[in-house]
Amino acid sequence: MATEHQSETLLKVDAISLSFGGVHALVDVSFDIQKGEIFSIIGPNGAGKSSMLNVINGVYQPTQGTITYKGEVRQGMRPHEAAVQGIARTFQNVALFKGMNTIDNLMTGRNLKMKSNLLMQGFYWGPAQNEEIVHRQAVENIIDFLEIQSIRKTPVGRLPYGLQKRVELGRALAAEPTLLLLDEPMAGMNLEEKENTCRFILDVNEELGTTIVLIEHDMSVVMDISDRVIVLDYGRKISEGAPDTVRNDQKVIDAYLGVAH
Amino acid sequence: MADSSESRAQTFPQLLRQRLQHDAERPAMREKAYGIWQTWTLAQLCEEAFALAAGLSDLGFVRNDTLVIIGDNRPPLYGAMIAAQSLGGVPVPAYQDSVAQEIEYVVDHAEARFIVAENQEQVDKALEIREQCPRVERIIYCDPKGLRNYDPQVVIDIATLMARGREVLKTDPERVNSEIEKGAPSDTAIILYTSGTTGRPKGVVLSHENLLVTARNINAFDRITADEEVLAYLPMAWVGDNTFSFAMGLVAGFCVNCPESASTVAQDLREIGPTFYFAPPRIFESVLTSVIIRMKDAGRLKRWLFEHFMAVAKKTGVALMDGRPVAFWDRLHYGLGELLVYGPLKNTLGFSRVRVAYTAGEAIGPEIFEFYRSLGINLKQLYGQTEATVFITMQPDGVVRSESVGTPPPGVEVRIEDNGEVVYRGPGVFQEYFKNPEATAETKTQDNWVHTGDAGYFDDEGHLRIIDRAKDVGKMNDNSMFAPKFLENKLKFFPEIKEVVTFGDQRDFVTAFINIDLDAVGNWAERNNVTYASYQELAAHPKVYALVQECIEQVNQSLAQDSHLSSSQIRRFLILHKELDPDDGELTRTRKVRRRIINERYGDLIDALFDGREHCFVSTEVMFEDGRQGRIEADLEICDAAVSPERTRAAA
């Protein structure tokens, strides 16, 4: 848990709605994310959690409402623009380059920071050479941080699932994000892998000062590591606050246990 | 280079200060960090160690204080050992995979006020035991990751402490040197806690003289020079690493390399290409198992090449290495094999440059031993223990056998007691068990003979053969000898079998618990369309039972050849539902079977083996890695194995 909070708002989501034809994925959702916190979005299946992340990093354009990021109102942002502005993410289903090894996958995360052109990179010539060394060093730091030294040169497609997830987290970190969006980073992991991942998330938050938005189904994880939690149900925000408040909210209990709508 | 003037050095810090005069820029240690091998020259290593010593001294570390060191092999931790010795203190390395209670025992018994812990994992253990060990004042860490919010009054960064030491040395440059000068050869160099198959671990006290003289003798015996490369990957708390990487390294002046992490050892081995290599048999075993598995998955041509040339190697390889005459055609054939198979294989395994390799700790399977030797790797066996500073006997080049463990090295005397127990005397004999005079008196006689507790005899060549622990050698009801470890090792030579426990003392026949090897059997299952979801399910599979039965029957056949052992043939066995595990107390940290605990935990299963039941229900408590308790239950099948008739001497 981050110990100190500058109460500076990094991202403000204001009355966002998102519809696909007649399906209302998100309805009038508002919340703030403070700089340096771990912010979790939870809710039953189909509640709109991943849609919310997709709105934040520009994959979907909201039908209504505004998003203010770093004090500026965003309009019609594309995913790559979000990346330039320091928003990185991981995916619910691992989305790595399976045929490439761990180092190369992490290097792709540095892509935005590279200045030399394709030709120079291709021939490892001129400024590209120094640039490559600088970025490789950054990647090595991440490898050390995530303790994946033994799989540097292994094609990621051959790695077990838990490690692939870790490499994906590494790739997101390689972009040195201000805001890191994690979509179910612990899905399908065993207990030990979950504990490791928790430790990495906390370390990223504490040592690198990265703000983290987390979607996760494992309630004990969410309640343990989050500073604040919001709960979505059928696209609406039904609760918000510190983990303990949310846990005891009757509306949340109803949403999870099911009541007639 | 080491020269004769160093033979006057009486402690390791004194030796280092002498070597600094002419070897300062030689690489002393390497460690892989951020994917690149980083080198510490002797000057750097000493500068850091002496700065740390000054820092420790500033914290109040004085002569005869102990410094507990917990972590993987890393240059700063070896530096910490030198630092403690420089101040006349005693480093006490602890096994890095021990749980907190085990560390607590060592810290408490050694009366340590300072702990050096490698990283957050180890610092957490050290903090956990602070309540039980109120003496502990400071915990010094090497890797700051995850330690930002820890109490700086207790937990301190090794780099900060070194910086503090450098400040001290500015105002008082002789602070460390004057302490080094006071060192005497009889000073304690290190206390090593033995894992101990019975009872609490004992702290073996070794002096500087023990280590220095032993290192000089062995370096001369195997012509170890300053040009060797060594990979230090075995636990620092184990006497072998201390002798091979620390003592012999500092005396000979060769470079010691530390792997990047425990999981990269195989890659690091290949990159370094050590010339002097040590591994317990289980590592040679698992490397061979992985080679065999990879070859079974290889294409037909490669498989044929491998099999063909391994047969050639078996025929000529060992003879070539021992310098026996070999026909010209065989030489040529072997040369071709070297080009096509042995060379590339050794390169892949990181054994290309190995000049001397040793294995010890357990018996090694003759097939495994021969496999490596036939490839042209000079693998030898030695027999030793912590109390002897490792070496009791070792095999000289050219006379290497798989069933014996060689002759005593220079300076060591060995004899056999009337009850068959091996006893020895020599320069490496330990001073005492720390704070345990009764145990010292039990083990070491007045005139310095040490009881090993192992039963053995000298064979016709004058080489020592070890049969078993003297107290484990039992008698069966028909009065024939029962040597459990001998049987277990025979079975463990099969790649499918990882661990075995046999029973037969004061019984009518012999039975066994088997642990399958998940890698080898898992691979076999894949190739034979056997599906399974867990270790437990695979272990209970009837086809796996049949597989193991085949192994046992082969062993029975070979036992039947020997009139002493034919009644030790295994009649009944079962495959355990869980792996025997040091965390559950069933094995020691060095993976030796703890028989008493197994008898307690699995008494019902043992009864079932002997009373003819066909299956038996068992429920076991297990400890998970994070310290939580769990329970595994299973209904185990018990299976009979065929027994071969004793072969009446055909020649007669």
Side-chain angles (χ1 to χ4, degrees):
Chain A
M1 241 161 280
T3 44
E4 67 219 65
H5 288 150
Q6 301 110 330
S7 49
E8 187 187 332
T9 304
L10 180 68
L11 183 91
K12 188 175 171 60
V13 173
D14 195 19
I16 288 288
S17 297
L18 176 70
S19 307
F20 302 102
V23 180
H24 301 291
L26 294 169
V27 184
D28 198 21
V29 178
S30 305
F31 56 84
D32 296 337
I33 295 171
Q34 308 297 325
K35 203 168 183 183
E37 74 176 340
I38 298 181
F39 183 88
S40 292
I41 303 177
I42 62 172
N45 284 332
K49 303 181 298 290
S50 292
S51 302
M52 193 65 240
L53 277 202
N54 283 333
V55 168
I56 294 176
N57 92 320
V59 176
Y60 297 152
Q61 300 302 326
T63 1
Q64 269 169 27
T66 55
I67 292 180
T68 316
Y69 176 66
K70 287 182 177 169
E72 277 175 43
V73 176
R74 275 182 4 191
Q75 244 123 28
M77 182 187 269
R78 305 276 183 103
H80 71 265
E81 289 163 351
V84 171
Q85 293 206 12
I87 301 179
R89 75 170 293 180
T90 66
F91 297 85
Q92 194 171 348
N93 308 311
V94 175
L96 290 163
F97 302 100
K98 304 252 182 218
M100 284 165 32
N101 66 26
T102 303
I103 288 179
D104 292 340
N105 266 289
L106 294 188
M107 283 299 252
T108 59
R110 303 291 302 174
N111 207 356
L112 278 173
K113 302 196 179 293
M114 295 191 187
K115 300 283 180 291
S116 51
N117 62 37
L118 186 67
L119 194 70
M120 284 162 143
Q121 287 186 18
F123 287 100
Y124 191 56
W125 168 68
Q129 197 171 345
N130 290 327
E131 199 173 39
E132 174 96 4
I133 290 169
V134 170
H135 290 300
R136 176 63 190 272
Q137 197 163 13
V139 164
E140 283 293 338
N141 272 319
I142 291 165
I143 288 178
D144 186 60
F145 187 82
L146 295 177
E147 294 164 16
I148 46 177
Q149 294 96 337
S150 59
I151 54 163
R152 260 193 203 102
K153 304 241 166 104
T154 316
V156 295
R158 273 178 26 201
L159 295 173
Y161 182 71
L163 275 177
Q164 292 195 13
K165 285 240 156 191
R166 216 188 287 183
V167 174
E168 202 187 27
L169 176 61
R171 185 180 60 185
L173 287 179
E176 295 173 21
T178 325
L179 181 63
L180 178 59
L181 313 177
L182 302 175
D183 196 350
E184 299 201 19
M186 288 163 227
M189 286 191 176
N190 64 29
L191 187 72
E192 200 187 332
E193 289 169 331
K194 274 185 187 172
E195 285 180 351
N196 275 332
T197 309
C198 273
R199 210 182 77 229
F200 291 130
I201 291 175
L202 287 171
D203 284 349
V204 169
N205 178 246
E206 279 184 31
E207 307 214 345
L208 310 177
T210 311
T211 310
I212 292 170
V213 177
L214 178 69
I215 293 181
E216 185 49 59
H217 270 299
D218 189 321
M219 279 307 130
S220 59
V221 168
V222 170
M223 296 303 167
D224 266 3
I225 69 173
S226 313
D227 295 306
R228 285 192 311 133
V229 179
I230 69 163
V231 188
L232 296 181
D233 190 24
Y234 291 100
R236 288 169 205 276
K237 182 175 84 175
I238 58 168
S239 184
E240 176 174 5
D244 278 334
T245 329
V246 169
R247 199 198 321 247
N248 298 321
D249 190 328
Q250 190 56 43
K251 274 187 277 180
V252 178
I253 297 168
D254 290 346
Y256 270 88
L257 298 182
V259 287
H261 277 269
Chain B
M1 293 283 155
D3 71 26
S4 57
S5 75
E6 269 143 29
S7 54
R8 266 173 278 127
Q10 297 181 312
T11 68
F12 282 99
Q14 287 169 7
L15 171 77
L16 281 169
R17 285 196 53 209
Q18 285 180 6
R19 279 195 48 216
L20 269 179
Q21 289 164 14
H22 42 88
D23 283 351
E25 293 312 311
R26 279 190 76 90
M29 298 207 93
R30 276 189 217 109
E31 181 188 38
K32 201 175 181 192
Y34 303 117
I36 296 171
W37 288 96
Q38 322 270 350
T39 307
W40 273 256
T41 62
L42 189 67
Q44 282 168 319
L45 184 71
C46 290
E47 195 277 332
E48 284 189 7
F50 296 154
L52 181 63
L56 278 170
S57 151
D58 204 39
L59 287 178
F61 187 96
V62 292
R63 190 156 287 273
N64 294 329
D65 258 337
T66 50
L67 181 69
V68 170
I69 297 171
I70 324 166
D72 288 329
N73 314 62
R74 297 199 51 211
L77 297 187
Y78 287 104
M81 295 199 354
I82 300 169
Q85 291 176 344
S86 301
L87 296 173
V90 182
V92 182
Y95 283 96
Q96 67 270 38
D97 59 350
S98 332
V99 293
Q101 296 100 296
E102 291 166 313
I103 304 258
E104 180 194 323
Y105 178 78
V106 171
V107 170
D108 185 57
H109 190 262
E111 302 179 8
R113 296 196 292 136
F114 301 93
I115 299 177
V116 177
E118 184 199 359
N119 50 23
Q120 188 184 16
E121 183 189 348
Q122 309 296 354
V123 170
D124 284 345
K125 284 186 208 163
L127 285 173
E128 198 180 322
I129 61 169
R130 269 193 95 216
E131 240 167 69
Q132 292 81 25
C133 308
R135 279 199 206 87
V136 175
E137 291 171 21
R138 296 290 189 133
I139 298 159
I140 300 146
Y141 61 86
C142 303
D143 180 359
K145 197 171 99 187
L147 289 167
R148 279 206 329 178
N149 297 327
Y150 284 54
D151 179 5
Q153 286 302 310
V154 181
V155 180
I156 178 170
D157 190 341
I158 200 166
T160 315
L161 192 57
M162 281 178 192
R164 186 163 158 184
R166 286 182 189 111
E167 288 304 313
V168 171
L169 287 175
K170 265 184 207 158
T171 51
D172 183 4
E174 289 305 301
R175 180 90 161 241
V176 175
N177 284 347
S178 60
E179 290 297 326
I180 293 178
E181 290 307 317
K182 287 184 207 157
S186 58
D187 285 355
T188 301
I190 197 162
I191 300 178
L192 295 164
Y193 281 81
T194 57
S195 51
T197 37
T198 48
R200 286 290 200 176
K202 289 176 280 191
V204 177
V205 174
L206 297 177
S207 68
H208 286 276
E209 192 177 18
N210 286 150
L211 284 162
L212 279 170
V213 174
T214 303
R216 283 177 190 133
N217 286 349
I218 303 304
N219 282 350
F221 180 85
D222 267 318
R223 299 181 310 281
I224 303 290
T225 67
D227 298 323
E228 313 296 338
E229 292 285 350
V230 169
L231 189 74
Y233 69 103
L234 291 161
M236 288 177 68
W238 177 63
V239 66
D241 182 69
N242 198 262
T243 310
F244 293 114
S245 310
F246 186 81
M248 288 168 69
L250 293 185
V251 169
F254 60 72
C255 183
V256 175
N257 302 280
C258 298
E260 186 167 24
S261 77
S263 50
T264 59
V265 169
Q267 288 165 33
D268 296 333
L269 195 67
R270 185 158 59 208
E271 286 171 16
I272 289 297
T275 57
F276 177 58
Y277 179 70
F278 184 92
R282 76 188 136 83
I283 290 190
F284 287 110
E285 236 174 272
S286 68
V287 169
L288 176 58
T289 307
S290 72
V291 169
I292 302 279
I293 290 174
R294 289 280 293 275
M295 284 321 298
K296 280 186 177 159
D297 289 343
R300 199 171 287 176
L301 176 69
K302 283 185 186 163
R303 225 163 45 214
W304 179 83
L305 267 178
F306 181 75
E307 276 155 20
H308 173 78
F309 281 105
M310 283 324 294
V312 173
K314 203 168 178 177
K315 200 170 124 204
T316 33
V318 177
L320 271 173
M321 187 152 48
D322 288 348
R324 277 177 273 144
V326 174
F328 176 74
W329 165 245
D330 286 338
R331 243 173 230 275
L332 206 66
H333 206 166
Y334 187 86
L336 188 66
E338 175 74 30
L339 206 66
L340 290 174
V341 178
Y342 322 139
L345 179 60
K346 282 189 282 187
N347 192 24
T348 309
L349 300 178
F351 292 152
S352 291
R353 302 203 294 160
V354 168
R355 203 168 56 74
V356 188
Y358 276 106
T359 181
E362 296 264 348
I364 188 168
E367 293 83 13
I368 301 167
F369 196 61
E370 214 162 80
F371 171 81
Y372 289 99
R373 287 190 59 80
S374 65
L375 286 179
I377 298 165
N378 187 17
L379 178 61
K380 307 195 283 180
Q381 293 192 81
L382 65 80
Y383 166 64
Q385 58 178 198
T386 312
E387 287 83 347
T389 321
V390 182
F391 305 95
I392 299 173
T393 63
M394 54 203 300
Q395 296 178 324
D397 285 345
V399 263
V400 175
R401 309 280 175 266
S402 71
E403 64 278 5
S404 62
V405 290
T407 53
V412 180
E413 304 165 70
V414 177
R415 63 186 166 87
I416 310 291
E417 296 277 80
D418 295 338
N419 65 354
E421 188 177 352
V422 178
V423 296
Y424 64 90
R425 181 161 77 170
V429 167
F430 72 121
Q431 307 298 306
E432 56 166 355
Y433 290 118
F434 190 57
K435 299 201 300 186
N436 195 347
E438 304 87 54
T440 310
E442 254 170 51
T443 313
K444 195 165 91 161
T445 63
Q446 287 296 325
D447 46 359
N448 256 353
W449 287 94
V450 181
H451 291 265
T452 58
D454 288 329
Y457 63 94
F458 282 102
D459 64 12
D460 302 338
E461 281 184 309
H463 288 223
L464 185 67
R465 282 193 198 205
I466 300 296
I467 317 169
D468 206 335
R469 297 293 294 169
K471 62 172 173 39
D472 283 342
V473 175
K475 279 226 166 7
M476 297 177 53
N477 284 347
D478 63 355
N479 237 352
S480 59
M481 181 181 72
F482 170 65
K485 210 142 134 216
F486 182 82
L487 297 178
E488 287 157 16
N489 286 331
K490 257 186 162 352
L491 275 167
K492 274 156 68 175
F493 298 150
F494 291 97
E496 293 86 3
I497 298 179
K498 185 163 188 189
E499 211 61 70
V500 188
V501 190
T502 53
F503 308 93
D505 189 26
Q506 292 160 30
R507 304 274 192 176
D508 293 328
F509 54 91
V510 178
T511 61
F513 285 175
I514 307 283
N515 256 181
I516 53 169
D517 185 294
L518 189 57
D519 285 343
V521 179
N523 187 275
W524 168 88
E526 230 169 75
R527 278 181 287 113
N528 289 278
N529 293 327
V530 172
T531 55
Y532 64 99
S534 65
Y535 182 88
Q536 192 176 345
E537 194 181 332
L538 183 64
H541 199 284
K543 280 190 172 170
V544 174
Y545 261 88
L547 186 75
V548 170
Q549 185 172 352
E550 229 171 79
C551 300
I552 291 181
E553 282 167 4
Q554 274 186 44
V555 167
N556 283 350
Q557 269 175 22
S558 85
L559 287 172
Q561 317 280 318
D562 190 326
S563 59
H564 293 292
L565 295 167
S566 68
S567 53
S568 294
Q569 295 186 52
I570 294 158
R571 309 239 171 155
R572 282 164 68 78
F573 71 95
L574 59 81
I575 301 179
L576 281 177
H577 56 301
K578 71 176 271 289
E579 282 189 88
L580 297 174
D581 196 311
D583 285 347
D584 296 329
E586 293 154 339
L587 301 176
T588 66
R589 289 277 158 211
T590 47
R591 303 198 69 87
K592 291 179 186 159
V593 172
R594 282 188 158 133
R595 288 174 205 283
R596 193 177 48 82
I597 290 176
I598 290 184
N599 285 341
E600 272 168 25
R601 289 189 77 151
Y602 299 109
D604 199 33
L605 286 182
I606 300 170
D607 292 342
L609 278 172
F610 287 100
D611 66 16
R613 268 183 274 169
E614 285 186 345
H615 47 85
C616 179
F617 179 78
V618 64
S619 163
T620 339
E621 287 223 340
V622 291
M623 174 99 83
F624 293 115
E625 273 192 3
D626 58 1
R628 267 174 297 187
Q629 302 270 338
R631 193 160 265 289
I632 300 183
E633 296 181 341
D635 194 30
L636 296 182
E637 196 189 331
I638 296 170
C639 196
D640 293 325
V643 171
S644 305
E646 183 182 338
R647 237 195 12 199
T648 42
R649 300 214 166 85

